[in-house]
Amino acid sequence: MSFGSWGFKSPLAHAVSYMFSRPRRRRRGLWLLAAVSVAVVVIVLVTSLRSERRVLAGYLDTARQSAAAAASSSTEFLEITDRLESIDRQEFITAMARIRATAGGAGTLIDSAEVPGDALDANARLQLAHSTWLVGLELLEGATLAAADDPSDEIAADVIGRAVLELSVGDRAYEAAVEALLALEADTNIARAGYPVVVFTPAMGAAGLVSAARTSTGLGVRRDLAISAVGFEPRMLSETNAGIGVLPFTDRLIVNVTLTNQGNQPVADIPVQIVLSSDRTGTARTESLTIERLQPAEATSVEFVFEVLPVVNYEIIIDLGGASGETDLDNNIVIVPFVVNEEG
């Protein structure tokens, strides 16, 4: 009896079909795995490209912010150098400090930015521009003041020349950086507004700066302390034809003295002395103190208190010690004669 007679087919008859059915399913799985892998790679690439594009866009925005700050400082700098022959020394020092701070802040923006690979060349040029600008500004400030203080100082003139060279190197580096950034934007289709023009090199050049500093009427050292105001409490009622002040009846006089540094150099340890003398006794009372420090254009007030009598001719002498090298001493001393009215 054969197996076929019972209605069954031999398992051996299906051996071939069993052997080839499984690989067919395997191929489907491999194709599916390959498709998933490709999709994952595409997603990673797209995500990576988008991320790089965001980094680049962020860097370009930072570069423009930095350029705007540099443009602001360069504009103020050129205005200052144009007025070098007449600008006041303290104004020059204050302005240069502000200009260097703004320019330094612009450089810090670039230094702290995340730089995409495509922008490495442009970034290097921007860093060069900012670093040389700062060197030039620092050299120029000190050398300009030195040339104003001593017009015969040839070292100061040489340093001004070097400063202008540093500034011009920075200008050229910035121009090259802008060209690289604009080309990068064109290649990546990232549209942004244009970059501002930044020029730190003065049009007058090194020779013009040296001449302006040497002939400046405001940059040179000027030392001038002054008694700028004297007040009395109680206040003077009037003044006689002889120039003698008349005070209302009082037994106590407060003298308020305002002192001002009218020069362009700080002055320290300033002695102030006030003497009250009278014709009745022939004696004098003296008070003195020391002002610790006065910056240029700074003023301060000091107060002195004296006992006084009616119908006595007094004279107050206020003496402000001069600063070292001060030539105008006329405003360092004030003499005020006065008399106190009788009671009632």
Side-chain angles (χ1 to χ4, degrees):
M1 181 186 302
S2 70
F3 285 103
S5 62
W6 289 90
F8 295 99
K9 294 185 179 179
S10 172
L12 296 176
H14 300 280
V16 174
S17 63
Y18 291 157
M19 290 176 63
F20 286 93
S21 60
R22 289 182 180 177
R24 196 174 296 127
R25 286 195 294 273
R26 254 191 224 110
R27 281 198 297 271
R28 293 195 195 99
L30 290 173
W31 280 109
L32 179 60
L33 178 60
V36 171
S37 299
V38 170
V40 170
V41 170
V42 170
I43 291 172
V44 170
L45 288 175
V46 170
T47 302
S48 177
L49 288 172
R50 288 178 178 175
S51 177
E52 291 177 4
R53 189 179 178 85
R54 282 196 297 270
V55 172
L56 177 58
Y59 176 79
L60 294 174
D61 288 339
T62 300
R64 278 184 172 77
Q65 293 174 23
S66 173
S72 173
S73 59
S74 69
T75 298
E76 184 176 8
F77 174 69
L78 294 181
E79 291 175 351
I80 290 298
T81 55
D82 284 343
R83 296 193 294 120
L84 212 54
E85 291 184 346
S86 60
I87 190 172
D88 181 77
R89 186 186 188 97
Q90 190 57 40
E91 182 186 356
F92 175 76
I93 293 172
T94 302
M96 287 300 296
R98 183 171 56 250
I99 289 166
R100 285 188 286 106
T102 304
T108 300
L109 282 174
I110 292 298
D111 292 339
S112 61
E114 182 179 358
V115 185
D118 292 344
L120 289 176
D121 178 64
N123 187 72
R125 295 176 187 276
L126 283 177
Q127 288 183 320
L128 174 62
H130 288 290
S131 62
T132 53
W133 281 335
L134 283 179
V135 171
L137 291 171
E138 290 172 358
L139 290 174
L140 188 68
E141 179 179 358
T144 298
L145 293 175
D149 294 341
D150 183 4
S152 64
D153 189 348
E154 291 300 328
I155 295 178
D158 291 341
V159 174
I160 289 176
R162 181 189 162 193
V164 172
L165 178 61
E166 294 284 348
L167 294 173
S168 64
V169 169
D171 290 348
R172 291 197 297 271
Y174 174 77
E175 289 177 3
V178 169
E179 289 180 5
L181 289 171
L182 291 175
L184 183 60
E185 293 179 8
D187 291 341
T188 54
N189 293 321
I190 298 179
R192 290 289 190 274
Y195 293 85
V197 174
V198 181
V199 176
F200 276 95
T201 308
M204 68 181 71
L209 289 173
V210 172
S211 176
R214 286 174 169 173
T215 59
S216 175
T217 58
L219 280 178
V221 174
R222 186 177 70 256
R223 296 181 175 90
D224 184 16
L225 294 173
I227 300 170
S228 51
V230 177
F232 294 90
E233 183 60 39
R235 295 182 180 182
M236 294 281 187
L237 295 173
S238 60
E239 187 176 287
T240 68
N241 292 332
I244 299 174
V246 179
L247 286 176
F249 173 77
T250 183
D251 60 358
R252 182 172 180 268
L253 174 64
I254 300 173
V255 182
N256 187 280
V257 182
T258 301
L259 315 169
T260 304
N261 182 357
Q262 298 181 160
N264 55 23
Q265 295 288 289
V267 182
D269 300 326
I270 307 165
V272 183
Q273 185 182 72
I274 184 168
V275 179
L276 176 68
S277 60
S278 68
D279 63 351
R280 174 175 294 185
T281 61
T283 59
R285 281 168 288 172
T286 302
E287 299 285 346
S288 61
L289 52 80
T290 300
I291 304 298
E292 183 176 343
R293 191 176 186 84
L294 281 179
Q295 295 293 336
E298 183 181 9
T300 189
S301 294
V302 293
E303 189 175 271
F304 301 91
V305 180
F306 295 98
E307 292 181 356
V308 291
L309 297 171
V311 198
V312 174
N313 290 321
Y314 287 102
E315 185 177 71
I316 277 185
I317 303 173
I318 306 167
D319 188 2
L320 172 62
S324 176
E326 185 174 357
T327 56
D328 181 11
L329 298 176
D330 291 342
N331 53 13
N332 289 48
I333 187 167
V334 171
I335 301 175
V336 182
F338 69 92
V339 64
V340 179
N341 268 346
E342 293 183 278
E343 185 175 4

